[in-house]
Amino acid sequence: QQQVKQSPQSLIVQKGGISIINCAYENTAFDYFPWYQQFPGKGPALLIAIRPDVSEKKEGRFTISFNKSAKQFSLHIMDSQPGDSATYFCAASEDNAGNMLTFGGGTRLMVKP
Amino acid sequence: EPEVTQTPSHQVTQMGQEVILRCVPISNHLYFYWYRQILGQKVEFLVSFYNNEISEKSEIFDDQFSVERPDGSNFTLKIRSTKLEDSAMYFCASNRPQGNIQYFGAGTRLSVL
């Protein structure tokens, strides 16, 4: 019940295209859903996050869509750039300080020039 | 911008040896975490720490592991007798008292030979 399932495992997108990564969860107690971006040799860095009181959140080229009834959320990267090439992890937790993050399996994104 | 710092960046040790991984969380944060990432796999929760005690731990965090905040600034992870399967990236994270936005350090790569 604690799992977060993420797909696809890898994704290749042309520069300027839209990258879409999907996640699904089971635990209805989760109420905080961050996305982390990780470059090789670096730690995960918070990219964008959403709470279930909204269905969409946009920050620049990054948008999270959230479907509470389906227990799914997704990351859209508009106008994808080669610099976006990284591994993306969705995560979920209860939105109280101190709660563990449960991570998805990760998606390795490559944006071709 | 404040950041979580971890030392060393790479630790090589012989099987059976003790290692201590060090972290300096962001100064006004009160919640601290250790996660690990085996090469090519997802980030896994190990332990969370608040008010000088463990608040939650995963099944990975067995008797070989311990955490400590020895001096009010450092947060350490000790592995008492390392095994080959302990080889991984170990990430420290911290967050503020409100919400659950966790900030990650760059990690320590532990190689057990």
Side-chain angles (χ1 to χ4, degrees):
Chain A
Q1 197 184 15
Q2 286 290 331
Q3 276 192 321
V4 177
K5 295 182 179 177
Q6 183 171 347
S7 63
Q9 285 186 305
S10 62
L11 182 61
I12 300 174
V13 173
Q14 290 295 129
K15 179 182 174 181
I18 302 173
S19 304
I20 302 174
I21 305 170
N22 300 299
C23 284
Y25 65 98
E26 290 294 325
N27 187 349
T28 54
F30 288 153
D31 55 3
Y32 172 68
F33 304 90
W35 284 88
Y36 280 83
Q37 179 188 55
Q38 185 181 32
F39 293 105
K42 303 293 185 184
L46 180 66
L47 187 64
I48 186 173
I50 197 168
R51 291 174 174 85
D53 52 340
V54 297
S55 60
E56 186 176 281
K57 183 174 181 180
K58 184 175 181 179
E59 289 183 1
R61 295 185 295 109
F62 301 92
T63 300
I64 301 179
S65 299
F66 184 80
N67 185 332
K68 187 173 181 178
S69 60
K71 290 186 283 187
Q72 295 175 347
F73 57 111
S74 61
L75 175 70
H76 291 60
I77 306 174
M78 312 300 287
D79 186 26
S80 299
Q81 299 296 311
D84 296 331
S85 298
T87 299
Y88 292 81
F89 291 96
C90 63
S93 77
E94 297 179 40
D95 190 21
N96 296 308
N99 284 303
M100 56 175 278
L101 288 172
T102 299
F103 283 86
T107 296
R108 185 172 293 183
L109 172 66
M110 180 186 297
V111 181
K112 290 193 166 181
Chain B
E1 185 177 328
E3 58 181 19
V4 176
T5 57
Q6 291 186 242
T7 55
S9 58
H10 191 192
Q11 175 84 52
V12 182
T13 190
Q14 295 290 324
M15 189 170 58
Q17 295 296 304
E18 175 183 287
V19 294
I20 298 175
L21 310 183
R22 291 182 167 78
C23 169
V24 179
I26 295 172
S27 64
N28 63 343
H29 288 190
L30 299 180
Y31 296 85
F32 314 112
Y33 312 82
W34 284 100
Y35 292 82
R36 80 170 185 191
Q37 185 179 32
I38 294 171
L39 186 64
Q41 298 185 24
K42 69 177 179 180
V43 179
E44 298 174 290
F45 169 77
L46 292 178
V47 65
S48 57
F49 191 86
Y50 170 72
N51 200 25
N52 283 320
E53 61 183 26
I54 290 173
S55 47
E56 192 171 8
K57 61 182 180 180
S58 72
E59 58 190 26
I60 302 169
F61 193 87
D62 61 22
D63 291 344
Q64 295 297 317
F65 292 87
S66 62
V67 289
E68 195 177 34
R69 189 156 159 81
D71 57 13
S73 63
N74 290 284
F75 178 51
T76 62
L77 174 69
K78 182 191 290 186
I79 309 175
R80 226 175 311 278
S81 177
T82 51
K83 303 187 284 282
L84 295 175
E85 54 265 38
D86 293 328
S87 295
M89 283 289 284
Y90 287 81
F91 294 106
C92 173
S94 68
N95 77 260
R96 301 171 296 184
Q98 298 83 28
N100 200 20
I101 300 174
Q102 295 184 23
Y103 297 85
F104 284 74
T108 293
R109 179 175 299 282
L110 176 65
S111 299
V112 182
L113 306 179

